Amino acid sequence: MLKRTLFILMVSFATITPVGTAQAAIPWAQIIKEAIKRVVKAVDLLIQRRQNAVIKLQNAQKALENTMAKLKLDEITDWVKKQRDLYKEYYDELKKVKVVIAYYFKIKEIAQKQVLIVEEYQKAWNLFQKDRHFTAAELYYMQNVYEGMLDETAKNVDLLTLVVKSFSTQMSDVKRLEIIDKAAAQVDKVYDELSSFNHENKVLSLSRANSEFDAKVVKELYGIQ
């Protein structure tokens, strides 16, 4: 799964220097973003297939209705049975479409926040690397923290993938919703931790400014008012 892919990448970069190892997380972030895109695309495809199924049933219903006038009395019973079966299949499929669409918006909202986490990480990390107020050891520590956050984000992508696959299994709506709620809570937690960590590092850098001009440079770097 995605977590295993990240682990393989970590091993590949194990012999690089601390700063080099930190820079190696950028490709991992891109892998996560691509995985999130695949989840959203899979749900889009799922909805499209469901909607196509409903359209086919609607067309079949119209075909039956159009042939009704041609039926003889002894064929009415058979027609009624076909109509009843068709309507049942139609409404069952329509129900599935509505369920998928309802989950789609929840999944997409979580996916968008995951993308935001990755983008905020990339933006902050690029800035911290340019900041001379941090030592190589401190940058290495930051990256260890970021790696943990990326790992959690990868796990959440796996949860969303599980939800998408669940539509082709016998998973109950209760269980499916439970997984979605779990992913949403974990994504919020990672996002809050990331925001707090980035803010603390910016404040730390500002506190190390040794002149008014230096402080101005730090504020401009991080967009601090």
Side-chain angles (χ1 to χ4, degrees):
M1 300 188 73
L2 183 59
K3 183 180 178 184
R4 176 175 174 78
T5 303
L6 293 176
F7 176 76
I8 292 173
L9 283 173
M10 290 173 67
V11 173
S12 299
F13 288 103
T15 59
I16 304 178
T17 61
V19 175
T21 303
Q23 292 173 332
I26 297 297
W28 307 347
Q30 189 59 37
I31 290 173
I32 293 175
K33 289 176 73 173
E34 290 301 321
I36 294 170
K37 289 180 182 178
R38 287 196 294 272
V39 169
V40 174
K41 184 177 181 180
V43 180
D44 284 335
L45 183 60
L46 190 60
I47 290 177
Q48 183 180 347
R49 287 174 176 172
R50 294 295 190 191
Q51 289 175 330
N52 289 342
V54 171
I55 292 174
K56 289 177 66 175
L57 288 170
Q58 287 175 328
N59 292 337
Q61 176 190 338
K62 290 178 181 178
L64 279 176
E65 291 174 347
N66 290 337
T67 58
M68 182 178 180
K70 303 176 184 179
L71 296 176
K72 298 178 181 179
L73 291 178
D74 59 353
E75 296 174 322
I76 292 294
T77 300
D78 183 57
W79 182 88
V80 170
K81 181 180 183 302
K82 288 182 179 180
Q83 192 76 341
R84 183 174 60 249
D85 293 342
L86 179 62
Y87 272 111
K88 181 180 184 304
E89 187 176 356
Y90 169 71
Y91 283 113
D92 285 348
E93 195 62 42
L94 187 61
K95 182 179 178 182
K96 291 178 182 178
V97 171
K98 290 181 178 179
V99 169
V100 173
I101 291 176
Y103 285 125
Y104 169 76
F105 289 108
K106 292 179 180 294
I107 293 172
K108 190 170 185 179
E109 182 180 358
I110 297 172
Q112 288 173 335
K113 198 158 192 176
Q114 286 178 310
V115 171
L116 185 59
I117 288 172
V118 176
E119 291 177 344
E120 287 295 315
Y121 148 70
Q122 291 176 315
K123 179 182 177 181
W125 177 240
N126 287 333
L127 293 176
F128 292 145
Q129 285 182 300
K130 300 174 184 176
D131 194 333
R132 62 184 181 81
H133 295 118
F134 298 117
T135 66
E138 287 173 328
L139 289 174
Y140 187 54
Y141 166 75
M142 286 183 196
Q143 190 52 37
N144 284 334
V145 175
Y146 284 134
E147 284 176 5
M149 294 179 183
L150 288 177
D151 185 56
E152 287 301 313
T153 302
K155 291 177 183 177
N156 292 329
V157 175
D158 285 341
L159 284 178
L160 292 187
T161 302
L162 177 62
V163 170
V164 173
K165 291 180 178 179
S166 74
F167 287 103
S168 59
T169 65
Q170 297 301 316
M171 182 181 292
S172 67
D173 286 341
V174 173
K175 181 62 176 178
R176 189 179 291 119
L177 187 58
E178 179 183 322
I179 295 175
I180 291 177
D181 288 343
K182 179 181 179 181
Q186 291 180 348
V187 168
D188 287 341
K189 180 175 178 290
V190 172
Y191 181 78
D192 290 343
E193 290 176 348
L194 175 66
S195 298
S196 178
F197 186 65
N198 288 343
H199 176 71
E200 289 173 1
N201 289 328
K202 293 174 184 178
V203 171
L204 177 60
S205 175
L206 184 59
S207 71
R208 292 176 175 177
N210 52 28
S211 69
E212 185 176 337
F213 176 77
D214 193 11
K216 181 180 179 181
V217 171
V218 172
K219 289 180 179 179
E220 289 179 352
L221 180 64
Y222 297 119
I224 301 175
Q225 300 297 325

